[in-house]
Amino acid sequence: MLVLPRDLGVLEDLRSKLPATAQEHFLTLALGCIVAMGRRTVIRILWAIRPLADADPSSYHRFFSATHWSLWTLAKVLAAMVLELVPADQPVIMEGDDTVTRHRGKKVFGKGWHRDAVQSSQGHLHMMLGHKWVVLAINVKLFGCSRLWALPVLTALHVPPPKEPRAAAHGQVRRQTKAGKATDKNLSRSKLPVLRKRDGAGVLQPRCKSPCLLLRQMLAVMIHWFPDRKFILLGDGGFASHDLAWFCRRHRRHVTLIARFCPDAALYTLPSDQAPRKRGPRRTKGLRLPSPQESVAAAGKLRETNLPWYGQGRRDVRVFSACGAWYRCRGSGRGAVVPIRWVYGRETKKGGEGYFYSTDPTLSGEQIITWFTERWCIEVTFQEVRAHLGFHTPRQRCRRSVLRTGPCLLGLFTVVSLIYAQIAKKRNVKIHAVPCYAKTEPTFADALVAVRRVIWDQVILPRVPGAAIVAKIPPRLKNPLLDHLTAAA
């Protein structure tokens, strides 16, 4: 069994939670994925860590496709490690967002056409064929860093709905006869495509889950695992869902949602107390209020304040906020009302504007905008995972391999960050300077270099052929070799 140094204790804790048959393969693939450069295919990972890969290459492929182990077990341990960096008396800032990776092929599970937010703009829509991953990350401040790091803890794949013809969905199909006329023929139940499946109670379940539903389920898991913590969820415009807001309202003791808002949303007052002698159901909503856009137009001069902004800066922002009840009618005829506080913010110099809301009406408008600006950390995480961990390069196609590879690569970002935090507490970590500009604090590239150096120096080099000769290399020659082997690019 491979023995790891103390600096890699995070990997040792994760390995102990797996079955005995999967522990060595997990550790070999994790170390190889950190050390490898370029694409993160299984063959390239094994090639990068050849002294440790002593099993047959097919067994490492089966680790993702056939070996019995659970991602939930690793996610719970990883989330507990991340929450240790957040004081118990402070709320946990979480971010929910989705990202798209390119993956083509006829037999790839879960692929579909999705909007690429990186290459799309307000006037141009760019679609990408691949996978859409919904990610839940936690904002923490690592040792020696002034900015926040968004560490992913839970990931889910959004599987698009199948594209069946409308006639097949209703039990009919158009057939072309010899005479050239189209006729309808009822299909038997056995020949119908499987559109929905039944659960244990016999209730038909939806064919696919939306990104908002996936994020809501991951949030429910975090509440179940850590009921004593208070969470604040930050979401982009794609997660400005009434269902998600209603879920956070019902669990307001545990979570508060802050996200973008619709300028023309339907807002009402809360229903007043009904007289006990009046018959009929209680009113769900009160009087109609002006939309946020109408309220801002009628407000006139807005309150100006200086708030923290993206990139650790500050901006002069004009703010207007108000409270209201967000109403949505449901299928049963009765609707759900969510008391919210919505905020309008506009930059004084550049003129950028936006509408935001929170399911906690007691928060101030300035606090809502300040917390929402911390959501940009997850965008930095997505960019660094693609650049340094090859998040878009795996080529798995079967169901189990696809569902495991993406969360493992995103979780590896969290593992490397946690290991780097432990190393930085013990000794000074070198910040690799760039000729174009001076770096004032470490980035994920510096964290990856520090972790790779520990793996090469204490794990790989002592196990290569001729390790006794390698140990006698003078530091003046060994350090440049390690700098070349651990380069982040």
Side-chain angles (χ1 to χ4, degrees), residues 10-11 14 34 78 410-420:
V10 176
L11 288 175
L14 294 175
I34 296 175
L78 199 61
L410 286 168
L412 194 64
F413 179 91
T414 304
V415 170
V416 173
S417 302
L418 293 177
I419 295 175
Y420 170 77

Side-chain angles (χ1 to χ4, degrees), residues 1 27 72 111 149 166 183 240 266 272 370 399 405 437 451 480:
M1 181 177 292
L27 193 58
W72 293 105
K111 69 179 176 110
W149 291 47
R166 182 176 299 178
T183 59
S272 59
T370 301
R399 180 180 184 276
T405 306
Y437 61 92
V451 177

Side-chain angles (χ1 to χ4, degrees), residues 1 7 31 36 70 74 169 175 181 193 247 285 301 331 354 378 447:
M1 181 177 292
D7 293 336
L31 295 175
S70 176
L74 300 181
R175 302 190 72 183
K181 296 181 179 180
F247 174 83
K285 59 182 179 180
K301 188 176 181 181
I378 196 171

Side-chain angles (χ1 to χ4, degrees), residues 58-71:
S58 62
S59 62
Y60 295 100
H61 285 276
R62 289 195 300 269
F63 175 80
F64 293 104
S65 61
T67 306
H68 294 282
W69 56 278
S70 176
L71 279 171

